[in-house]
Amino acid sequence: MKKAPLFLCIAMLAIQAQTSFAHGDLHERILLISEEIESAPDNSTLYFERGKLYFYHEQYLLSVDDLDKAGELGYNDFLHNLFYAKAYQKLNNNTKAIFYTDKILSYDSKNVNAIKIKAEVLFKQKEFETSALFFQQLINKSKRTLPENYTQAAKAYHNCTGKKMRMQCYVVLDKGINTLGELPTLLKEKIRYYKKDKLFPEALLVQKEIIKNSQRKETAYFEAALLAIAMKDSAVAKQYLKQSENALFALPKRIQLNKSMQSLLASISKQKNLLTNKH
């Protein structure tokens, strides 16, 4: 099994740090910078900085107001346009969000931040084919991609109307697996689409990879059993149900008795009874 790259772990830590910052001293920083603005009302940078803080504080209208004021005072750079795009995206003003992403892409066609926002907005507008192509650009132009880049692209592809475009969802997920390793997120997404397309044998092949990679296998075996049942292969389904049950009973008693394991055991028994009653 290919291990997840170190940068994925670093990225998660960065996200956690940003979340902590966003819910920490933002309000105090907004108050401090507001005092600075009172002393220097013509300072465009101060308005821009407060506009960013308002964005992180989820006060998007106030963010846009400050970005406007910064612009009136002469502030204009990539980040100014990017925060406009991000704020308008949050405000569901898709037209203006795309206006600012296009403005960025007009002078920096490889800007992955703008590409990502545009892809997300196009998806929201149900322009799935164009959205998928922009998500594909995001993957191709990113130095380091995250699992969500591939899952978002797959989602856009699978929502397309043409079969050829829909099938691209599997291609992009395979690319993610080859690049990032057999991450459960990517494997489970692939199974989800196979199930939607009623491609149960293909889904079971991927589920076998999940079983192989899992330290605890009781749930993975049960999911395989459900896929075998969908394939109407009772013999294989019974084998997986037995393996799921055995894996569960091999766990320490305290884990066997927890709510989730008792629920799984009940589900195993239910499926075994249903299969028995069919014969």
Side-chain angles (χ1 to χ4, degrees):
M1 176 183 175
K2 186 175 178 180
K3 292 184 178 179
L6 177 61
F7 76 82
L8 283 179
C9 302
I10 294 171
M12 291 304 298
L13 289 173
I15 291 169
Q16 290 173 0
Q18 185 181 36
T19 302
S20 175
F21 169 77
H23 295 283
D25 63 348
L26 274 174
H27 181 67
E28 290 75 12
R29 292 191 65 183
I30 289 170
L31 292 177
L32 286 172
I33 206 165
S34 296
E35 290 178 5
E36 292 184 54
I37 287 171
E38 287 183 12
S39 301
D42 295 327
N43 189 318
S44 63
T45 302
L46 289 176
Y47 282 102
F48 172 67
E49 291 299 326
R50 191 175 67 176
K52 286 198 302 182
L53 292 175
Y54 276 134
F55 175 84
Y56 290 127
H57 206 245
E58 300 179 2
Q59 294 176 279
Y60 305 119
L61 286 172
L62 291 176
S63 176
V64 168
D65 287 345
D66 271 2
L67 293 173
D68 285 343
K69 186 64 177 178
E72 290 170 10
L73 293 171
Y75 198 98
N76 182 30
D77 66 1
F78 154 67
L79 285 176
H80 189 231
N81 292 324
L82 180 65
F83 273 92
Y84 261 132
K86 287 158 67 93
Y88 280 123
Q89 181 187 22
K90 292 292 187 181
L91 291 167
N92 293 315
N93 190 327
N94 298 328
T95 301
K96 287 193 174 181
I98 286 182
F99 171 81
Y100 283 102
T101 59
D102 284 347
K103 192 173 181 181
I104 295 167
L105 293 171
S106 69
Y107 58 79
D108 183 5
S109 63
K110 296 181 180 180
N111 190 286
V112 293
N113 296 288
I115 292 170
K116 186 175 191 295
I117 293 171
K118 185 166 184 177
E120 291 171 346
V121 172
L122 287 167
F123 185 90
K124 190 185 296 182
Q125 292 179 315
K126 300 188 185 303
E127 296 181 38
F128 299 122
E129 187 168 336
T130 310
S131 172
L133 295 175
F134 271 94
F135 277 124
Q136 190 68 63
Q137 278 191 47
L138 176 63
I139 291 167
N140 294 338
K141 294 180 179 181
S142 296
K143 291 181 180 178
R144 293 175 174 175
T145 54
L146 297 171
E148 68 179 55
N149 299 146
Y150 297 96
T151 57
Q152 286 178 313
K155 186 177 181 181
Y157 275 123
H158 202 264
N159 274 281
C160 293
T161 53
K163 184 178 179 181
K164 187 175 180 180
M165 288 295 289
R166 281 170 59 87
M167 291 299 104
Q168 283 296 309
C169 78
Y170 302 112
V171 175
V172 77
L173 287 172
D174 282 338
K175 184 175 181 180
I177 291 165
N178 290 334
T179 303
L180 301 177
E182 293 182 334
L183 300 178
T185 301
L186 298 177
L187 294 174
K188 288 177 181 178
E189 278 294 280
K190 199 172 178 186
I191 290 171
R192 189 166 71 87
Y193 291 121
Y194 276 141
K195 287 167 70 175
K196 280 189 173 185
D197 292 333
K198 301 190 183 305
L199 299 171
F200 300 114
E202 289 84 350
L204 184 55
L205 286 174
V206 181
Q207 186 64 30
K208 287 178 181 179
E209 290 300 309
I210 291 178
I211 291 169
K212 183 178 72 175
N213 297 335
S214 300
Q215 289 187 331
R216 282 183 49 178
K217 303 180 187 293
E218 64 279 355
T219 301
Y221 279 131
F222 180 72
E223 294 295 332
L226 294 181
L227 290 170
I229 290 169
M231 293 164 55
K232 302 187 186 308
D233 192 334
S234 299
V236 171
K238 287 177 181 178
Q239 289 175 11
Y240 280 123
L241 289 171
K242 184 62 177 174
Q243 287 174 297
S244 178
E245 193 174 54
N246 290 342
L248 193 157
F249 288 142
L251 295 170
K253 199 69 176 178
R254 60 180 177 78
I255 297 178
Q256 290 182 40
L257 294 175
N258 72 34
K259 187 175 180 180
S260 62
M261 289 299 99
Q262 287 298 297
S263 177
L264 175 59
L265 185 59
S267 296
I268 293 169
S269 297
K270 178 181 177 181
Q271 293 301 328
K272 286 172 70 176
N273 289 336
L274 287 172
L275 289 172
T276 300
N277 292 336
K278 283 184 179 180
H279 298 284

